[in-house]
Amino acid sequence: MLTRQVVVQSKSLDEVASLVLRKQEMLASIPAIQPIPNEDLTQTAGGFGWRIHPIHKIQKFHAGMDFTCKQGTPIHSTGDGRVVYSEYGTNGYGMHVIVDHGFGYQTLYAHLSKLQVRNGQRVKRGDVLGLVGNTGLSVGPHLHYEVHRNNEAVDPANYYFNDLSPAEYVRMLELSRNAGQALD
Ligand SMILES: [Zn+2]
């Protein structure tokens, strides 16, 4: 009986070990930093939710977060993954990159001035994907950043946990909720 118990236990330890490895991969993959670090921002970010559209001037759902910064600022992948789109789109996003992180997560980086990754390329968290620009439906140089979970846009503000202290996090949430107009 003891032998059986030991066998069962070592089997479940194997499972735990593989779960831990999977967990580490998941932690590296899930978006967890800002695509543009705070020191590169020239203005606060416009947040996720219903906003006045800068061009159409009507209430529109803003499915991402806008980071205002200088043209040419490097944009970083927010988690490990694989580039599944890196082209000039016709859907208003202009030049944009989509990274598939696995575990149901994708991130989208829009209005770039330059693409620095190609389709199929594997990227690590922090790798530069391209440079900030003003391509597509955009009213000034900025990064429009989206996080998708199981094909649904979610609030990127909930995915910066590696970067911020609790106080900074609270401030960032306030900023993202107060922004009146998005840059799209
Ligand atoms: Zn936007």
Side-chain angles (χ1 to χ4, degrees):
M1 195 173 132
L2 200 63
T3 318
R4 257 183 62 161
Q5 248 175 18
V6 168
V7 169
V8 167
Q9 204 150 57
S10 81
K11 243 194 137 147
S12 66
L13 274 179
D14 283 351
E15 267 165 43
V16 169
S18 89
L19 265 177
V20 166
L21 282 178
R22 195 84 180 124
K23 195 96 176 177
Q24 277 171 346
E25 190 197 334
M26 189 169 151
L27 285 175
S29 302
I30 286 178
I33 61 169
Q34 289 183 193
I36 308 269
N38 279 331
E39 58 267 27
D40 288 343
L41 294 178
T42 55
Q43 202 189 303
T44 56
F48 180 91
W50 289 94
R51 295 285 181 278
I52 304 285
H53 191 274
I55 295 166
H56 305 307
K57 298 289 179 198
I58 49 160
Q59 283 275 342
K60 245 193 114 199
F61 194 79
H62 188 237
M65 193 150 173
D66 292 336
F67 293 87
T68 313
C69 42
K70 283 208 293 276
Q71 176 99 4
T73 304
I75 298 161
H76 305 273
S77 181
T78 55
D80 293 4
R82 200 168 56 85
V83 175
V84 291
Y85 188 96
S86 180
E87 280 164 59
Y88 200 116
T90 51
N91 47 8
Y93 287 131
M95 229 181 260
H96 67 284
V97 172
I98 299 173
V99 176
D100 189 340
H101 302 282
F103 305 97
Y105 285 94
Q106 288 198 336
T107 49
L108 180 150
Y109 311 79
H111 312 305
L112 278 55
S113 60
K114 190 165 190 265
L115 301 166
Q116 294 193 328
V117 287
R118 50 182 198 284
N119 282 322
Q121 189 175 329
R122 292 211 68 90
V123 289
K124 289 278 184 195
R125 178 176 293 144
D127 284 357
V128 174
L129 303 172
L131 305 178
V132 166
N134 190 24
T135 57
L137 217 58
S138 167
V139 291
H142 77 286
L143 169 69
H144 172 91
Y145 173 62
E146 292 183 13
V147 176
H148 292 239
R149 186 167 182 239
N150 300 327
N151 297 318
E152 204 177 307
V154 292
D155 190 345
N158 295 325
Y159 292 91
Y160 305 134
F161 28 81
N162 279 16
D163 269 352
L164 305 173
S165 71
E168 284 172 328
Y169 180 72
V170 168
R171 185 169 169 271
M172 206 270 308
L173 276 186
E174 277 168 11
L175 287 175
S176 74
R177 290 199 177 127
N178 286 342
Q181 182 171 289
L183 297 170
D184 268 70

